[in-house]
């Protein structure tokens, strides 16, 4: 399937999709997703993080690659500041379900259908973890306040053809000095690069031809 056709199919999926259903987001060739996590905690700063998925690319009919980065954005000031607060895992639901996942992160390992799922989100089938597993681990292993994973490459394989493909139920786990928190984030699609319409390409071609003809006329004078 060509890149343009994939983008058109995925774009149609976005138009038909309701974000009220488990916050599902279509995975579009060339596009991305920005996820924001924000949980108010009584007596402490909000527990916050961001994740960015970018440069979605269907390498073939069964493989998706993308860049990913995760940041711990807690504003740890004032009364109730955390002695420590780290991101230990995050993940989401992929539909259809993946058959394999790999990444080149120096912080996260990745797994499909985790046997020790992210607490409270057993339906999450694509998970990245910095601790022992998706359920947690030592707080020192996670992304600390103000820290980031940096950008890393993720490759996901599927048993059936993709697209269509969507991600939903983006969840994260924090371990802090005030307790452990697992909660869902909100997702905003990052649109893919625009594809020029055929009419626009035709006008551009005519303009270039006209420019070339004018140049030849001037030289011939």
């Amino acid at each position: 399937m060509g890149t343009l056709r994939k983008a058109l199919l995925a774009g149609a999926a976005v138009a038909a999709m309701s974000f009220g259903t488990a916050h599902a987001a279509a995975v579009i060739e060339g596009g991305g997703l920005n996820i924001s996590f924000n949980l108010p905690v009584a007596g402490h700063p909000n527990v916050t993080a961001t994740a960015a998925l970018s440069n979605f690319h269907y390498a073939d009919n069964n493989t998706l690659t993308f860049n990913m980065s995760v940041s711990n954005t807690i504003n740890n000031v004032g009364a109730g500041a955390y002695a420590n607060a780290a991101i230990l895992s995050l993940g989401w639901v992929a539909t259809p379900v993946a058959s394999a996942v790999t990444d080149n992160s120096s912080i996260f390992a990745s797994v499909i259908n985790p046997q020790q799922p992210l607490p409270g989100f057993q339906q999450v089938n694509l998970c990245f973890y910095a601790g022992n597993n998706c359920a947690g681990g030592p707080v020192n292993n996670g992304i600390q306040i103000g820290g980031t994973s940096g950008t890393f490459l993720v490759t996901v394989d599927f048993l059936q053809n993709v697209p269509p493909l969507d991600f939903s139920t983006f969840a994260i786990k924090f371990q802090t000095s005030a307790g452990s928190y697992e909660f869902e984030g909100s997702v905003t699609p990052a649109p893919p690069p625009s594809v020029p319409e055929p009419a626009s390409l035709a006008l551009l071609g005519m303009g270039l031809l006209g420019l070339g003809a004018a140049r030849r006329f001037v030289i011939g004078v």
Side-chain angles (χ1 to χ4, degrees), residues 37 49-53 68-72 86-92 101-111 118 127-134 141-144 147-154 171-173:
F37 300 93
T50 60
L53 316 182
M68 179 171 169
S69 63
V70 183
S71 299
N72 183 335
I87 299 169
L88 286 181
S89 61
L90 76 160
W92 55 87
V101 59
T102 59
D103 69 74
N104 64 358
S105 170
S106 60
I107 296 177
F108 289 113
S110 51
V111 64
L118 201 154
C127 183
F128 300 82
Y129 60 94
N132 298 332
N133 49 55
C134 292
N141 288 3
I143 299 177
Q144 306 299 315
T148 180
S149 66
T151 300
F152 57 95
L153 178 67
V154 180
I172 196 166
K173 176 183 175 65

Side-chain angles (χ1 to χ4, degrees), residues 21-138:
T21 305
H23 307 288
V27 176
I28 303 174
E29 175 73 29
L33 299 171
N34 296 317
I35 303 97
S36 176
F37 300 93
N38 188 349
L39 179 71
V41 178
H44 296 275
N46 286 10
V47 176
T48 61
T50 60
L53 316 182
S54 60
N55 298 326
F56 288 138
H57 174 57
Y58 291 100
D60 56 42
N61 289 337
N62 303 96
T63 302
L64 173 75
T65 65
F66 58 91
N67 293 328
M68 179 171 169
S69 63
V70 183
S71 299
N72 183 335
T73 58
I74 290 176
N75 183 13
N76 196 38
V77 296
Y82 299 101
N84 51 49
I87 299 169
L88 286 181
S89 61
L90 76 160
W92 55 87
V93 175
T95 307
V97 176
S99 59
V101 59
T102 59
D103 69 74
N104 64 358
S105 170
S106 60
I107 296 177
F108 289 113
S110 51
V111 64
I112 60 168
N113 303 317
Q115 293 184 349
Q116 292 81 31
L118 201 154
F121 293 92
Q122 282 74 16
Q123 72 272 42
V124 165
N125 56 28
L126 187 58
C127 183
F128 300 82
Y129 60 94
N132 298 332
N133 49 55
C134 292

